[in-house]
Structure formats: C-alpha cells, structure tokens
Amino acid sequence: MSAVSSNHGPRFFVTIRRKKSALLGVTLVTAAVLLCLQYNVAKEAVDESVQPVPANLYLDTDKRTQEGRPNYGGEPKPVQFIANSVASDFLPEQQSQFINNYPQQQQQPYVQSRQSQQVYPSSRKQIYVPPQRIVHFDLKGAPPKVSYLKHVFALIKKLGATGVLLEWEDMFPWRGPIKELAASNAYSKEDIKEILASAKDNSLSVIPLIQTFGHMEFALKYNTFSSLREVPESAQALCPSLNESLTLVEHMVEQVIALHGHVPYLHVGCDEVFQMGECPRCRPKPREDLFLSHVANVARIVKKQSPHTIPLIWDDMLRHLPAATMMLYKMNTLVEPMVWVYAEDIYRFVPSNVWDKYASVFPYIWTASAFKGAFGETMYVPNVKRHLENNLNWLELMNNEGPLYKGGFRGIAITGWQRYDHFATLCELLPAAIPSLAVNTLATSRGFFNATLLEPLVSGLDCSIMPPSSVPIMSDPFLWDTLGRCGFPGHGFFNFLQRFNSLQREVADFITQIDHKRSWLTQYNVRHNFSSPLRVDELLMDAPRLYHSATSMVHSAIENLQSVYDNYTVAEWIEQNIWPLIQRLDKIQQDGANLKQRKVWPRRPFPIIKELERFGLIKGDPSSNARNPGLTANRVPGG
Ligand SMILES: *[C@@H]1O[C@H](CO)[C@@H](O)[C@H](O)[C@H]1NC(C)=O
Ligand SMILES: *[C@@H]1O[C@H](CO)[C@@H](O)[C@H](O)[C@H]1NC(C)=O
Ligand SMILES: *[C@@H]1O[C@H](CO)[C@@H](O)[C@H](O)[C@H]1NC(C)=O
Ligand SMILES: *[C@@H]1O[C@H](CO)[C@@H](O)[C@H](O)[C@H]1NC(C)=O
C-alpha cells in the first residue's frame, strides 16, 4: 500500500514518489538493455514503456532496477490520474532528476553507490538503535496461514523486533454493513485472535493498520461503496466531503478496535491519495484543507472510540505542506507521522528541511524502511543488499535527526509489501523474504551490521553452516548461496526460487533464440507455414526438457508453498510466474509440429499479409481492412 501522490502542489510529488512508488530513471545499458529505475510517478509512466518485453522473465537487478515502494500502482492509469492532479511541469523535472542520478549507480550495482555499506557504522563509532522495531505484515489479498505467521513472529522476536504492524485490508473479517470488504479467504475472527495471541506470547506489540483515505480500492471497488469515490473512474481515493465516507471509516475503526482492544497506536494510512479536490463537492476547497481536515476527522473517530489510542499516518502527503497549516489543523496533537523511504538514499526524498519542519510540528515521529516489496512490482525475491543499505541509512539518519525532536523517534517500521496496491499482482512473498527480514531486523535492533552479526543470523535462521567470515551480501545479494542450507520458516520456497530463477533465465534465452536470433521458427515462419523441418527439429531440441522442468517447478512451488498459503495464493503465484513459461513453451512446440507437417512448399513470393494492406503494399479496399484489424494472419493456403 502505499505510495503516494498528492496534490498538494507540485513539490508534493517529489516526495511521493519516493516511497512506494517510483519515479524512474531509465538507463540504457547496452544497445538493447534498458535499465529501468522506478521511483514514483515517473516510474509508472516510464517503466511501462521501457521494460524489456518478457518483463516477468528477468529477475536480475542489472536489467531492471526499481525503487520506491508499492502503492503507486504500476498501472498506467494511476499515472494519468497523478499527472492530472499535479502541476504539469513537475513530472518532467522529476524524471530527469532520476535519470541523471540513479541510473549510473544502477549500472554498476552498489559498488559506486554513495553509501554502499555492507558494514555499518563504517567510520563513525556511534550506533543508533530505534526504540521500537516494528515488522510490517502486508496481508492484502494473500493471507499467510496462521501457523506460518506464528513461526515468523517467534523468529523476528528472537532477532530483535519489538512489534508488528498488521495491514489486514481485505483479510479482516469485516462484518455488518461492511462485510463485503472481507475477501472470501479472509481470516476468521478466531484466526485474528490467534494471531494477536501469538504476538502477545512473543511480547510483540501490535499496531493495526486501516486505510482511511487513499488506497481504499478494497472498499471502493464495489458497487456498494462506489458512490464514495472521489473520482468515479478510480477506486483509489475516498471523497472526504461525504458523510458516508466517515461512516465507512467509523465502521472499520470500530471493528478493528473491537478485535484488537485499545491499542496504543492505530495506523490510519492516508498515503498516496491520488485523487483529491476533484469532485464537485471538494473542488472549491484547497487541497491542503481537504487533506488535513479529513485526517483530523479520522483521528477524532479513533479518539472517540479509543481515547488513548494515537493515530499514525504515512507522511508523504505532509511533506510539502507548511508547518503552520499542519498546526492549524492540530496535527501535532492528533497524529504522529511515519516517514517512509525505501530507496537507499533517504535524504534525497526527505531532505533536512523536511525533518526540521516536522520537528517544529510533531514531538514524536516514526520512520519506515523496507525489507521487501520496494524495488519492483513483479520481483519474487528481494535484493537484501539494497534493503540493508536502506535500513542502515535510516539508522544513520535517525541518529542525526533525533535530537531535533522533543520526544524523539518512536521507532522504525520495517515494511514488507505484498502487492503495490489492491489491484496489483503479488510481489515478493514472505517466505522468499525471510533472509532479508532477518538481516534487516538484526541490523535495526543492534544498530549496525557487520560480520559480528553473522553468527546470530545463521543461528536465528537455523542454518547448518558456519557463519561466513565476512558479510556476503556484496557478492550474493539474494543470499541464495549463503543461506541455502537453513531451516527457517519457508526456506523450501526460498531455495526453490534459486532453481526457478535459473530455469526462468534458460527459458528466456530459449525464447529469444526462437523469436529473434534463429531464423526458422519465427512468427513469420509460423504465419506463412514455411520452414525447414530439420531446422525446426534442431530448434526444438531443448523444448521438451524445458517444458518438463517448468511443469515440475509447478509441483515444487505447490509443495513448498502449501504450508505458507492457501491454494488461491499458491495458484496466483504460479499463474503469474511459472504458467507463462509453460504456455509459451507449449505454443512453440505446437508451432513447430505444425510447420513440420508440410512436405511440399509454395513458390515465392508469399501473399502479403492482410495486416500490411493498410500501408498500401497491396491494392485493396482499405475500409475492409479497417474493420478487420486483428491479428488474423492471412495464412498462405497450401501451395
Ligand atoms: C453531514 O454531517 C453534518 C454533521 O453531522 C451535517 O451537518 C450535514 O448536514 C450532513 N450532510 C449531509 C449531506 O448529510
Ligand atoms: C561490528 O560493529 C560493532 C559496532 O560498531 C563493533 O563493536 C564490532 O567490533 C564490529 N565487528 C566487526 C567484526 O567489525
Ligand atoms: C490444495 O492443493 C493441494 C495440492 O494440490 C490439495 O492436495 C488440496 O486438497 C488443496 N486444498 C484445497 C482446500 O482444495
Ligand atoms: C501448414 O501446412 C500443413 C500441410 O499442408 C497443414 O497440415 C497445416 O494445417 C498448416 N498449418 C497452418 C497453421 O496453416
């Protein structure tokens, strides 16, 4: 969840992107390889057009590097909305900023990165440990089994976490007038109680999270709640000017408090409100007023139901608001902000002046880093190196900025996004990210990361190996080689991903050969049913083996995920990641078999395909083609 965008004036955007979304910088690595850096807004826009075609097929960071955090939604649509609501000269500036700065770093991963630290602190002796280390569980649209969560809670406790931030979204057993908000595979009330009891057993504090402004897709997507949208075409943002919007918030807050009790903190989201001030009711009001008055209303709803609960909000929508305006709406007494940046360079997104401004308003403040779900919407294993850098930079920043605040930093939430928004497909699954979670929980809990922590790391992850003598993250960013023989919850899936990654690359190479490098099984050959059977045989030689490997990957994924997720989630991951390979291999084999049936071949030249008629290559009635624009290749009849 989460990213942000806002309309509070152009500068808003800057911050926004940083968090979950992504602006992106784009780099050309070689003639054909595009490096795509996603950041916020830009990310969305640029990214879509730049990704290599088999976007899903590559995991490697060299080819697609993304930053930012989920929540921005990678779909082109949100971008348009964003663009509409932001000063138009703003986007290009942001984009170019990224293009100028990020890509170079990305080309030579980490080595040249400004603060590429695999150890910390490097020169400085001082270490900083945030008072609270809260691990975020994004549960939207894919509930881990309760038994699995229990194992993970015990693990993070052992590594130094003090609490959990539970983002239930459609996995909460909503009832009464809002029962529709619960997915049909949502947790039951008993499940929730069991999860909360497990947190308690592990002495982990619990902060529930409810979205109350932006990222309301899980409610506003339904007909029942569609009238509460700010903009009819988008289910992203709630209209703050409707009384029924507050009624919806009231129901959610009430039900969450009823199950969680009077928790000390309740996170009410409020990030990335992509549409604000656009409906006829809201248009006359300044956006800052719309935003702040809604936050104030939500905070009052929370206080009314649970007077000692402090509401937390994501900070992105505040970044460019003047301190005086925040004071006017009593933000200082109503909420505490949680400042999120998931990219490595935190000050780039939240510079010193913003820290000064926040300090002039808020006595207490929170931060949020990430351990997964921030560097690419379709990634399936997190780059631990990048996440560690993000977390270590946060420690340094908190050490620097903490003295500005009367009350100081409350703590850091280490976020782990599961989808970039409700409509997005899955990014890294929890079991794939346990090593990253462990490294980053340890680092934030000890205030440093160096070889000293490798012993607690391997023992925490239940590995049957000796701790390495140096931090291996530079050469092994996913930790597949280092942590291949461990027994942490979900290790089977983590190990599986290394095998899957290598198959995926092999299949991608194979497809590149077929489609682009070799000359007898291209789409041209297929359309014209014209090829050399011997060559086709040769090209297809590896196909059965790859096909077989891909199907056995499905079995292996099921086997390894079954203890972690329900079959819906297992199926979604497989459909998204493995099934496309199987489908493509299947099609290639069918095409080959068809081509081989032919024993005699037609004289050249071949008929010009219908699709090219409109370019005037053949005489014909252009209007008849206009009506028939599909891919209905004009197959050359037999000979
Ligand atoms: C919304 O609620 C306010 C305060 O309770 C009330 O004054 C106002 O008339 C309501 N508006 C509508 C359209 O119901
Ligand atoms: C790791 O860092 C800690 C804290 O700065 C320090 O006490 C320890 O000696 C370091 N260990 C190594 C192996 O550098
Ligand atoms: C889930 O999938 C597994 C493996 O295919 C199967 O054995 C099990 O019965 C399925 N569970 C449900 C509830 O359908
Ligand atoms: C290709 O030609 C063979 C032999 O004439 C025929 O059996 C087959 O159906 C054709 N395939 C396509 C796709 O037209």
Side-chain angles (χ1 to χ4, degrees), residues 572-586:
E572 179 179 352
W573 192 88
I574 289 170
E575 181 180 345
Q576 184 189 331
N577 290 283
I578 315 182
W579 181 243
L581 306 186
I582 293 178
Q583 251 186 330
R584 190 74 180 89
L585 289 167
D586 200 29

Side-chain angles (χ1 to χ4, degrees), residues 284-299:
K285 308 176 198 164
R287 286 172 170 171
E288 340 185 306
D289 295 332
L290 285 166
F291 180 75
L292 294 172
S293 67
H294 184 70
V295 171
N297 285 336
V298 170

Side-chain angles (χ1 to χ4, degrees), residues 329-377:
Y329 282 90
K330 300 199 161 52
M331 285 298 119
N332 52 320
T333 63
L334 291 173
V335 300
E336 292 180 7
M338 187 177 272
V339 184
W340 59 267
V341 176
Y342 309 142
E344 294 89 331
D345 187 353
I346 297 160
Y347 278 115
R348 168 187 286 287
F349 298 104
V350 184
S352 306
N353 62 317
V354 174
W355 293 106
D356 294 342
K357 179 176 71 181
Y358 285 165
S360 73
V361 177
F362 300 103
Y364 291 99
I365 191 153
W366 298 74
T367 60
S369 61
F371 72 93
K372 75 181 180 97
F375 293 118
E377 297 146 22

Side-chain angles (χ1 to χ4, degrees), residues 71 75 77-78 81 169 181 211-239 245 248 252 271-276 278 421-424:
N71 286 357
E75 324 112 300
K77 234 179 176 177
F81 292 140
E169 215 219 45
L181 272 49
Q211 283 293 357
T212 58
F213 204 169
H215 285 293
M216 289 291 292
E217 299 95 347
F218 73 109
L220 302 181
K221 69 177 179 178
Y222 294 116
N223 190 37
T224 318
F225 300 99
S226 59
S227 60
L228 304 184
R229 298 174 188 170
E230 175 68 17
V231 171
E233 313 81 65
S234 165
Q236 210 266 348
L238 191 66
C239 170
S245 293
L248 170 60
M252 293 194 296
D271 58 323
E272 300 185 317
V273 187
F274 288 143
Q275 300 92 27
M276 213 170 21
E278 295 186 28
D421 71 25
H422 183 82
F423 287 110

